[in-house]
Amino acid sequence: MILYTMMPQELIFPEDANAWNKIKMLNVKGVPVLAEQLDEGYRITRILSSNPFDYLNPELAPGNVIRHFGP
Amino acid sequence: MSDQQPNKEEPKEGNAASALVEKIQQLGQTNVPQLGQDSNIHCLAIVGQIEGHLQLPPQNKTTKYEHMIPQLVAIEQNPKIEGVLVILNTVGGDVEAGLAISEMLASLSKPTVSIVLGGGHSIGVPIAVSCSYSFIAETATMTIHPIRLTGLVIGVPQTFEYLDKMQERVIKFVTRHSHVEEEVFKDLMFAKGNLTRDIGTNIVGQEAVQYGLIDEVGGIGKALGKLNSLIEKYRDEKGKEGLIQ
């Protein structure tokens, strides 16, 4: 199906609200990350820190599942 | 930077030993990951779309200004952070949010260096020029085009005037923070025949330097080198101020 329209995609195909709720901003050991909620724990999708060394921490690598988090 | 690293870590060694004993006592193990590493240069990656007042659907990769601004405040506040490297690969986005980030970067008292990798289009242009010194990769591009909403027809003249004012803000900011002349920038913005179905210009690497928009062509090595030399200069100036007082 091809739709020829100038309307933005999200206006024609609205996102389901669940997609929003799944992605959460967490604070893992003082580092802000975006994580996707799984049945058990969270999978890190993106690191939001400005400290370049946080990106070298294997614990915070994107794709990692974290079960316990906190400062 | 590498020369200074050992000096910085020396005083920590005493603490590290006692922390190790503490860890063994508390957790019964020593291999707790070392956290709290500090870098004197912080890095801000501006990727995807710059998200402003409207939240984009989750499949979009965005840079949110409500994330960026507190980070910039923290960078300004933290005495351990001496410089900021801004890495741009953005398609543009919200004008107000982009200008907010640009103004924050421009008013930061610490040295800032920006580097455009891939693309720094649209509202990415003011962000790139807002830093103390700017770099562009040889293959990176920047699209300069007038401000617009969607393809919708503008209903009332006031809307046009509002957009015109907004555009003036972008032009003023860019000409104030880079070496590009207002006339040249406007010519690039309203040029015909360069972009398909739009007016504007797409400038690549070296061209951006020729127009005076960006300071130098270079990559990460050059950018970090420049940032370190700016930090040195900043330290010297600060040291002199201290002596006078």
Side-chain angles (χ1 to χ4, degrees):
Chain A
M1 182 177 66
I2 300 170
L3 284 179
Y4 294 96
T5 175
M6 61 176 195
M7 303 296 273
Q9 195 212 346
E10 57 267 26
L11 225 89
I12 299 161
F13 302 108
E15 278 297 321
D16 59 329
N18 283 332
W20 289 104
N21 300 333
K22 268 192 174 170
I23 305 281
K24 280 207 166 75
M25 200 175 133
L26 301 178
N27 210 328
V28 183
K29 304 205 164 158
V31 181
V33 295
L34 283 184
E36 184 192 349
Q37 191 161 21
L38 303 174
D39 293 335
E40 204 181 315
Y42 293 88
R43 180 179 287 125
I44 294 175
T45 52
R46 187 171 161 188
I47 305 168
L48 294 170
S49 169
S50 62
N51 187 348
F53 287 161
D54 288 339
Y55 292 78
L56 297 178
N57 189 344
E59 230 180 300
L60 299 175
N64 237 18
V65 178
I66 39 165
R67 288 187 176 80
H68 311 286
F69 60 89
Chain B
M1 192 185 139
S2 54
D3 299 340
Q4 286 142 16
Q5 216 78 324
N7 298 339
K8 271 195 174 168
E9 273 166 33
E10 263 174 15
K12 278 185 192 165
E13 264 171 20
N15 298 338
S18 64
L20 198 68
V21 174
E22 240 180 67
K23 262 177 212 161
I24 297 170
Q25 284 171 344
Q26 288 175 347
L27 308 161
Q29 57 180 14
T30 57
N31 61 341
V32 176
Q34 292 284 313
L35 289 164
Q37 263 186 319
D38 286 314
S39 163
N40 70 331
I41 291 173
H42 270 219
C43 162
L44 293 172
I46 297 174
V47 292
Q49 281 208 50
I50 293 158
E51 194 180 285
H53 306 298
L54 199 77
Q55 194 156 21
L56 289 159
Q59 79 262 21
N60 288 283
K61 186 161 276 185
T62 61
T63 300
K64 295 177 204 297
Y65 78 136
E66 70 264 35
H67 289 163
M68 302 289 297
I69 287 168
Q71 273 177 345
L72 284 165
V73 173
I75 288 166
E76 178 68 35
Q77 279 274 309
N78 191 341
K80 280 180 190 156
I81 304 167
E82 293 178 287
V84 189
L85 185 70
V86 181
I87 292 168
L88 283 141
N89 193 0
T90 176
V91 290
D94 192 288
V95 176
E96 305 259 272
L99 276 180
I101 296 170
S102 310
E103 287 285 4
M104 287 290 281
L105 281 168
S107 55
L108 211 68
S109 70
K110 291 167 185 180
T112 49
V113 168
S114 68
I115 171 164
V116 182
L117 298 165
H121 306 291
S122 194
I123 202 69
V125 175
I127 299 178
V129 303
S130 67
C131 294
S132 328
Y133 204 83
S134 52
F135 282 92
I136 185 164
E138 221 169 307
T139 53
T141 68
M142 298 176 98
T143 307
I144 300 159
H145 68 81
I147 284 175
R148 53 187 146 63
L149 298 167
T150 50
L152 298 167
V153 175
I154 292 173
V156 285
Q158 280 80 356
T159 313
F160 175 75
E161 272 163 36
Y162 176 70
L163 281 177
D164 201 43
K165 252 186 198 165
M166 212 180 219
Q167 190 156 289
E168 204 55 38
R169 284 157 69 194
V170 174
I171 295 171
K172 282 269 151 63
F173 187 90
V174 172
T175 48
R176 208 167 52 231
H177 291 274
S178 70
H179 304 294
V180 72
E181 296 291 323
E182 191 173 331
E183 280 310 305
V184 175
F185 191 66
K186 274 187 174 168
D187 282 348
L188 290 171
M189 196 178 241
F190 300 115
K192 282 183 288 182
N194 293 325
L195 302 178
T196 45
R197 297 189 299 164
D198 199 1
I199 54 170
T201 319
N202 193 13
I203 52 175
V204 184
Q206 188 64 47
E207 282 178 286
V209 180
Q210 275 162 12
Y211 286 121
L213 201 59
I214 297 289
D215 293 310
E216 204 177 323
V217 174
I220 190 83
K222 265 190 176 176
L224 271 179
K226 183 72 194 178
L227 186 55
N228 278 321
S229 75
L230 284 175
I231 288 170
E232 285 287 307
K233 225 167 94 185
Y234 180 71
R235 266 192 209 142
D236 286 352
E237 275 168 20
K238 245 185 141 184
K240 271 179 201 155
E241 269 174 34
L243 282 177
I244 293 161
Q245 283 166 359

